[in-house]
Amino acid sequence: MKIDIEERTLHFKQPAGTSRGVYRERHSWMLTVTDGQGRQGIGECAPLPDLSCDASPEYAKTLRTFCDIVERTGQIPYEMLRPYPSMLFGLETAFWDLECQVLPARETFSIPINGLVWMGTFDEMYQRIKEKLEQGFHCVKLKIGAIDWEREIELIRFIRSNFTKEQIELRVDANGGFSPADAMQKLEQLAQYDIHSIEQPIRQHQWAEMARLCRETPLPIALDEELIGVNMPQMKAALLDTIRPQYIILKPSLHGGMRGCREWIGMADERGIGSWITSALESNIGLHAIAHFCHDVYGPDITMPQGLGTGMLFTDNIPMPLEIRGEQLKTLPRPLPIGRGVDTFEA
């Protein structure tokens, strides 16, 4: 077995604004796994700077070390890779893609997705919302926290004055932009406009404050950044039991690879906590694998919109069998229930 690594830089069509800053480029490491018969599988390692728990200046060197271990053993060292979710995700998807070379394909399927509206000026966000509605989206996710709060509420008020919750499901993502002191007041304002949920209202690592918000909130709270770096099963259980969120949102590149996300989903299900899956601004290589993972985890009849509408963000994305039709992500099939762990492959 041989693993080659290629670093790629993707460029956003328009700056992607969050409360943490603005992304203009996206760096990924593409893995090509070649087996003893010359077959190849491709995976993507895509850490997010200042967010991923495994992002570091030594990323490429560390990734090479793990790839050397896999080359020698023919196995993915899952426990060793728990602290390195984006590297695990890249290896998982490469092995999965390799397995797909020798198995028959399944039927094509579609997954409902939300339309993503990035932060910007009032006029920019308004125009982006109009575009999503014209494209046929019935679930729109707004990134909030970058412009004046009253202007953001005005924007949400405008949407609701024109579209009911039955016509448009609104999700908002604060990316930890609220303070514990003002979060409840802002949640109460948002609740007036039939918001489906809010992601990460305050910054992570404030378990007591987040637990209080989840206990008293007038609208459902979904955890996202809060899950980053919580990689061991006992810590996952402690977080869920302490905070008791209404939802968790899983990104395989951030939250333990596909195996780790299955672990999160299983623990959440046991506690009556909902979940959905999103991409983390990967290229189409990663997005394609996540779509199949989502289909395998939740089954063929997914009704809750997933966060998989990122395939059109880049000017120089990598072609893959993916297509967005209205609010549906349509993908060509892959045969394996990925994320359950391909422990070995013929070297």
Side-chain angles (χ1 to χ4, degrees):
M1 173 175 292
K2 184 175 183 294
I3 302 178
D4 294 309
I5 304 173
E6 177 191 4
E7 185 174 359
R8 294 285 296 268
T9 300
L10 303 175
H11 301 86
F12 284 92
K13 293 179 180 178
Q14 60 186 27
T18 77
S19 60
R20 290 185 299 272
V22 178
Y23 292 114
R24 291 181 172 82
E25 295 181 341
R26 183 71 167 98
H27 298 284
S28 293
W29 283 261
M30 303 301 173
L31 305 183
T32 301
V33 178
T34 305
D35 71 2
Q37 299 182 24
R39 295 175 298 218
Q40 294 186 328
I42 300 175
E44 178 178 9
C45 303
L48 284 168
D50 303 319
L51 187 60
S52 296
C53 64
D54 55 355
S56 78
E58 298 293 314
Y59 189 90
K61 181 178 178 181
T62 304
L63 176 61
R64 183 67 260 175
T65 297
F66 284 120
C67 289
D68 290 344
I69 293 172
V70 176
E71 284 183 339
R72 290 196 305 269
T73 65
Q75 300 180 2
I76 296 176
Y78 285 99
E79 291 303 311
M80 189 182 297
L81 281 164
R82 277 188 182 271
Y84 305 93
S86 67
M87 299 183 195
L88 173 56
F89 175 69
L91 286 164
E92 284 177 314
T93 54
F95 266 59
W96 166 69
D97 193 45
L98 189 58
E99 284 278 358
C100 290
Q101 309 306 312
V102 297
L103 294 175
R106 296 178 299 188
E107 295 180 359
T108 298
F109 59 83
S110 297
I111 296 174
I113 59 175
N114 62 248
L116 180 60
V117 175
W118 292 100
M119 289 178 176
T121 65
F122 182 95
D123 291 338
E124 287 171 341
M125 293 182 74
Y126 172 70
Q127 183 59 39
R128 291 167 190 169
I129 290 168
K130 281 185 60 178
E131 291 171 358
K132 294 302 178 186
L133 300 181
E134 290 169 358
Q135 291 165 7
F137 286 94
H138 292 87
C139 177
V140 176
K141 173 180 168 179
L142 304 177
K143 293 277 190 178
I144 62 174
I147 62 176
D148 179 77
W149 171 249
E150 293 304 320
R151 293 284 280 170
E152 290 178 332
I153 284 294
E154 181 183 345
L155 182 65
I156 292 170
R157 184 184 302 118
F158 174 80
I159 298 170
R160 269 293 167 253
S161 68
N162 288 275
F163 300 96
T164 67
K165 65 179 180 180
E166 287 75 26
Q167 293 174 304
I168 294 293
E169 178 181 286
L170 283 178
R171 299 175 180 175
V172 296
D173 183 359
N175 284 126
F178 299 167
S179 72
D182 67 12
M184 186 58 71
Q185 178 185 354
K186 291 182 176 180
L187 293 179
E188 290 171 350
Q189 285 182 273
L190 288 168
Q192 300 175 39
Y193 302 106
D194 295 312
I195 303 298
H196 171 271
S197 58
I198 179 169
E199 294 181 35
Q200 202 67 41
I202 63 175
R203 294 186 69 84
Q204 63 266 47
H205 310 313
Q206 303 179 83
W207 285 19
E209 290 293 340
M210 188 68 85
R212 177 183 63 83
L213 290 176
C214 289
R215 186 169 59 249
E216 300 175 3
T217 183
L219 73 160
I221 290 175
L223 301 186
D224 180 356
E225 288 93 340
E226 196 73 64
L227 312 180
I228 297 172
V230 182
N231 300 310
M232 302 305 293
Q234 59 271 31
M235 286 299 295
K236 294 179 180 181
L239 183 150
L240 295 176
D241 289 337
T242 299
I243 298 178
R244 288 284 173 177
Q246 284 73 37
Y247 294 102
I248 59 173
I249 301 171
L250 285 313
K251 296 179 173 73
S253 287
L254 295 177
H255 300 137
M258 291 181 286
R259 176 172 284 198
C261 285
R262 280 190 183 274
E263 201 169 67
W264 274 116
I265 292 169
M267 290 183 174
D269 286 346
E270 291 171 358
R271 293 162 173 80
I273 297 169
S275 66
W276 68 86
I277 293 171
T278 81
S279 59
L281 305 181
E282 294 90 355
S283 77
N284 281 337
I285 297 290
L287 180 62
H288 182 244
I290 294 170
H292 284 275
F293 174 62
C294 183
H295 182 265
D296 286 321
V297 167
Y298 295 127
D301 301 316
I302 301 173
T303 57
M304 176 178 283
Q306 308 292 304
L308 304 180
T310 57
M312 307 296 290
L313 293 179
F314 305 107
T315 61
D316 46 3
N317 212 331
I318 299 166
M320 289 295 287
L322 294 168
E323 181 181 34
I324 294 178
R325 294 184 183 177
E327 60 181 358
Q328 298 286 325
L329 177 68
K330 188 178 181 64
T331 178
L332 293 181
R334 290 297 194 189
L336 281 181
I338 60 179
R340 295 178 184 171
V342 182
D343 291 324
T344 63
F345 201 83
E346 179 183 355

